[in-house]
Amino acid sequence: MSEMRVIGIRVEQPQNQPVLLLREASGERYLPIWIGQAEATAIVLEQEGVTPIRPLTHDLIKILITELGHTLKEVRIVDLQEGTFYADLVFDGDLRVSARPSDSVAIALRVGCPIYAEEPVLAEAGLVMPDEREDEVEKFKEFLESVSPDDFKATDS
């Protein structure tokens, strides 16, 4: 089992499908998980420190856990079957609740608990990307963020 860090949400084109990207804390493998738009928004809002006026679903779950006197100890991505990932929320007393990884990560970010992936899941779906390529991808993303469609319009010469 490897501890994972949330790299962030990427959007796969042309379908505009959000991808949750996790990386091993002490390793080179990345774990991409395709998720829904609502969960992607919940993860991004938390990563950016945005607090909604009223609690969203994952905020409410955090409140419920606390008010019921429990602690979410960790999130585990435990299985991958036919392209679908499965996760467990692991509470105090080793109580486990099965959940979607996207919801689990959104909650883990809010409560500050670690996220783990089981080795068979990483062996099947983990990707190794060389650091040089990661740097190139980041530079390209920075370039894309700095340009607008107007920059590519033809000008009269």
Side-chain angles (χ1 to χ4, degrees), residues 48-115:
E48 293 180 356
V50 176
T51 303
I53 296 169
R54 299 286 297 149
L56 300 177
T57 303
H58 301 97
D59 302 308
L60 178 60
I61 292 170
K62 174 188 174 187
I63 293 166
L64 285 169
I65 291 168
T66 303
E67 291 300 316
L68 292 171
H70 290 283
T71 303
L72 180 61
K73 306 290 266 185
E74 62 191 38
V75 163
R76 291 186 182 182
I77 301 169
V78 295
D79 202 3
L80 173 59
Q81 296 179 17
E82 298 177 15
T84 301
F85 288 88
Y86 294 83
D88 284 345
L89 299 170
V90 181
F91 293 92
D92 49 328
D94 204 33
L95 171 68
R96 293 172 185 250
V97 176
S98 181
R100 296 183 302 182
S102 55
D103 290 323
S104 301
V105 167
I107 296 165
L109 288 173
R110 283 162 173 75
V111 302
C113 74
I115 301 164

Side-chain angles (χ1 to χ4, degrees), residues 89-155:
L89 299 170
V90 181
F91 293 92
D92 49 328
D94 204 33
L95 171 68
R96 293 172 185 250
V97 176
S98 181
R100 296 183 302 182
S102 55
D103 290 323
S104 301
V105 167
I107 296 165
L109 288 173
R110 283 162 173 75
V111 302
C113 74
I115 301 164
Y116 297 98
E118 298 285 347
E119 184 55 38
V121 173
L122 283 169
E124 183 173 345
L127 305 172
V128 176
M129 293 190 274
D131 287 338
E132 297 83 22
R133 182 160 182 249
E134 183 181 336
D135 289 343
E136 288 176 24
V137 169
E138 286 304 316
K139 287 177 186 173
F140 184 64
K141 286 179 188 169
E142 288 173 14
F143 166 75
L144 288 177
E145 290 174 359
S146 70
V147 296
S148 72
D150 292 338
D151 294 332
F152 296 99
K153 287 184 180 176
T155 58

